[in-house]
Amino acid sequence: MAQEDNGIFKNGEFIKNSDAFLFADNVNIRETPSTKAKVIANLSIATPVKIISKTNDTLTVNGYNTYWYKISFDKNGSKKTGYVWGGFISVFTTTTTNDSGNNVCFLFTITEYSEKIGFTALLKAVVNGKIVSTVSVKPHDTDQNNGIYSYDIDGKIMSNKGLDNVKKIIVISFLYPACGYSNGDVIVFWNGKNLIYGTESPSVSEAGIFNFSSELIFPTNHEGKPNKVIRKEETVNYDDDGNISSNSMKKIEYIWDGKKLVKQDND
């Protein structure tokens, strides 16, 4: 199915001619970009589609405002085209197989927005067209929007990195190419049946003022510890001449108990 690191979602929009998958189930494909337009097809979750073009029409659902897209898809052996709201398309998709040999499709997209909490996103695990697990994710955002998301979103799937009772680790990456805005990764664990939220590794910088970066260290990495995830943070501050005025390092350790990550109290 999908290839990881396909990078189909840039600046809050799908890239033209990208291969994507439907995030929602029973999606109505319309004759024109409107909820009042004629339904020409009804497609299942994880159906592959191709992004032909972005329209100028938008729709707001659960506070999230994004574009309609013209797509192509296969229906009963023939190629068809139609329109679908962008919130029904997965911005990042990857797959694995379960112990029974069935494909597990992981779908991710922005699902809602409110002024109080900002954006919310959802990662789904789908097997044979059925949702078997979901987990909520708080995506990075600019805090300066009206329900319009403007980050790049990408991701990849990794091995268990030495963690017990973990089959795969899904990494979701958020990038905004401007100073002063938070970027970084969120990790989610897949144990073969359920998705489990892990933690994040944020970074942010302001040119000539400061730079904060972090990375996650797993048991199989250098400096790794058995059944622990370590977040290694570095903060660098600069003076008015652009020279380093201070540099500090910090490590935060999380214990993986086989079911969840628990932050370790180092005090």
Side-chain angles (χ1 to χ4, degrees), residues 16 19 27 52 57 131 134 136 138 171 189 259-260 262:
K16 183 178 179 180
D19 293 318
V27 177
I52 297 176
D57 300 279
I131 301 169
T134 63
S136 180
K138 181 69 176 73
V171 182
F189 303 114
K259 296 181 179 179
K260 62 184 181 301
V262 180

Side-chain angles (χ1 to χ4, degrees), residues 8-9 12-15 18-61 64-74 80-91 109:
I8 65 171
F9 194 73
E13 301 174 6
F14 288 98
I15 297 175
S18 296
D19 293 318
F21 296 83
L22 292 183
F23 177 82
D25 200 13
N26 296 315
V27 177
N28 287 329
I29 309 302
R30 305 279 180 171
E31 193 171 53
T32 61
S34 168
T35 56
K36 297 180 180 179
K38 179 182 177 181
V39 176
I40 60 173
N42 182 272
L43 302 180
S44 302
I45 191 169
T47 295
V49 300
K50 180 176 282 291
I51 307 295
I52 297 176
S53 61
K54 182 190 75 174
T55 73
N56 293 321
D57 300 279
T58 64
L59 177 67
T60 300
V61 177
Y64 175 41
N65 179 271
T66 193
Y67 294 95
W68 286 79
Y69 289 84
K70 185 177 183 180
I71 62 168
S72 64
F73 57 96
D74 289 324
K80 296 184 179 295
T81 60
Y83 293 85
V84 66
W85 180 60
F88 292 152
I89 306 172
S90 177
V91 301
T109 203

Side-chain angles (χ1 to χ4, degrees), residues 136-152:
S136 180
V137 172
K138 181 69 176 73
H140 293 257
D141 66 74
T142 63
D143 296 323
Q144 297 177 3
N145 46 64
N146 292 302
I148 301 172
Y149 196 75
S150 53
Y151 271 63
D152 298 356

Side-chain angles (χ1 to χ4, degrees), residues 202-217:
S203 64
V204 63
S205 65
E206 190 69 57
I209 300 176
F210 75 93
N211 180 71
F212 171 81
S213 62
S214 66
E215 64 173 318
L216 296 178
I217 301 171

